Amino acid sequence: MVVRCRVQGLVLLCLATVLVGCAANGLNSVQITPTVQSLTVGQTAQFSAVGTYGNASHLSTQNITGTVTWTSSAPSVATVSASGMATAVSAGTTTITASAQGWSGHVSDTAVLTVAVSGGGGTTGGSGGNILSLTIIPSGIIFGSLRDSGQFLAIGTFSSPPTVRDVTNSATWFTSEPNKFPVTTNDGTAPGPGTQNGGVVSAYESSVGDVGAVITAKATDVNGSIATATANVGCPLKLPDPTAHPPTPGSCFQAVPQLLSTLTVFNEGLNTANWLVTAPSATGTAAVINCGPGAGAGKSVCTATYPMGTVVTLTAPTQTGVRFGGWSSNCLSVTPVTQTGPNSCTVTLSTSDATVGAIFN
């Protein structure tokens, strides 16, 4: 009898351990990102699902996009695949749901997908009548994780048919926070999935609340009329709460690489009297770098910050009594070295900061 009781107690202890292990390692919640998305008919968008696991002592998250069950509340508007890829079918709004079985029951999260009809003139802009107004849809995108991307659409209203047109890829897009929430403008290649489309916004820094940047679209028709519209984007910072029951996931608290590169220019030659190096900004504004005694006192070493990936052209213009001898090896020559004319080189700020030496003799 004593042996039987001990065996039964051991079985109960093992069962309790298994249950505790499930609670400690099971799925607590699911979070979809982005929470709001917009497409035109025929376009696709990738939704992601992040699961939160564990208990108060061992909270963790992981990407479970491929293991949740994806559904669309209105398949006639948009379908969604088992991998979270949504395809726009017709104009309207649908709810995209990611669901899974958690350790304490069924868990799910939803996102709203709006589909617009792509009208004529979508890739060439406002031909055939004045543009009357411009609207961005959705009016805001809220991300749940850093590095996520979403699509804004720019829909213009014109004075002649087709009166409603998708001008997403002909509009110029701006962001109030280019290093935190950059947005793309179509680069002239054939439209398709990816960042060659205009209106693609990404999150690289968390925001206080739902608004981290203001996105602006500007559309110009063939007659020169301009219409603008704005929308908001954010990635609200929320730390995980392991004390909640079940524990709740955080959002936008992951660290991401800095999107800025710093370019430093200095003179490594013997002539320190009257040399000069200039360079424009990433948007073409002249003389952001205006370095050297030729630019004024205290200009012996100059720095400027550019978005990562920028190609910067440095120029050593002609200066009286200054002989230019060349650039350091990381700056590629654009014009040949001469003693009487401007000399230029380019440096690509790909993944890190860069320092360029100019030789003046």
Side-chain angles (χ1 to χ4, degrees):
M1 180 64 103
V2 174
V3 172
R4 179 179 300 173
C5 290
R6 288 179 177 174
V7 171
Q8 289 175 341
L10 181 61
V11 170
L12 290 174
L13 177 60
C14 291
L15 180 59
T17 301
V18 171
L19 291 175
V20 170
C22 290
N25 300 304
L27 177 64
N28 295 320
S29 62
V30 175
Q31 184 178 45
I32 290 182
T33 188
T35 56
V36 180
Q37 180 64 281
S38 59
L39 298 173
T40 55
V41 173
Q43 285 188 320
T44 60
Q46 178 66 55
F47 287 91
S48 300
V50 175
T52 300
Y53 293 81
N55 56 25
S57 301
H58 303 88
L59 194 66
S60 64
T61 60
Q62 70 181 65
N63 190 313
I64 56 173
T65 302
T67 59
V68 297
T69 299
W70 292 94
T71 57
S72 170
S73 64
S76 61
V77 173
T79 60
V80 62
S81 69
S83 62
M85 181 67 74
T87 302
V89 178
S90 63
T93 301
T94 184
T95 300
I96 304 298
T97 301
S99 58
Q101 185 63 37
W103 69 268
S104 61
H106 188 76
V107 292
S108 65
D109 193 24
T110 60
V112 177
L113 173 59
T114 302
V115 178
V117 176
S118 178
T123 59
T124 59
S127 58
N130 286 333
I131 186 168
L132 304 177
S133 64
L134 189 68
T135 302
I136 296 178
I137 57 173
S139 59
I141 291 178
I142 301 174
F143 294 113
S145 298
L146 297 175
R147 296 186 182 178
D148 282 345
S149 296
Q151 173 77 60
F152 281 113
L153 299 179
I155 306 299
T157 302
F158 291 79
S159 61
S160 62
T163 57
V164 178
R165 310 177 197 175
D166 176 10
V167 295
T168 303
N169 285 329
S170 61
T172 303
W173 294 85
F174 307 92
T175 172
S176 62
E177 295 288 351
N179 299 307
K180 299 177 182 180
F181 295 93
V183 66
T184 62
T185 291
N186 180 259
D187 64 4
T189 61
T195 55
Q196 71 267 33
N197 288 337
V200 177
V201 64
S202 303
Y204 286 91
E205 188 168 312
S206 59
S207 58
V208 179
D210 294 342
V211 180
V214 176
I215 304 299
T216 302
K218 182 180 77 171
T220 305
D221 65 21
V222 70
N223 301 310
S225 298
I226 297 175
T228 62
T230 61
N232 298 323
V233 62
C235 194
L237 174 64
K238 183 173 67 175
L239 298 178
D241 185 2
T243 64
H245 300 284
T248 57
S251 65
C252 307
F253 59 90
Q254 315 93 329
V256 297
Q258 177 59 262
L259 289 180
L260 298 176
S261 296
T262 298
L263 175 61
T264 301
V265 179
F266 70 101
N267 176 18
E268 59 182 1
L270 300 177
N271 187 328
T272 60
N274 199 33
W275 63 276
L276 177 64
V277 173
T278 63
S281 71
T283 58
T285 304
V288 167
I289 289 180
N290 198 20
C291 192
K299 296 279 189 174
S300 58
V301 176
C302 296
T303 62
T305 301
Y306 296 85
M308 193 173 291
T310 302
V311 178
V312 181
T313 299
L314 296 172
T315 300
T318 301
Q319 292 290 105
T320 302
V322 177
R323 177 182 178 184
F324 177 70
W327 306 95
S328 56
S329 60
N330 61 330
C331 206
L332 302 177
S333 178
V334 177
T335 57
V337 175
T338 67
Q339 297 183 26
T340 58
N343 304 276
S344 300
C345 75
T346 61
V347 57
T348 301
L349 301 172
S350 54
T351 59
S352 61
D353 297 341
T355 299
V356 173
I359 303 171
F360 295 94
N361 297 314

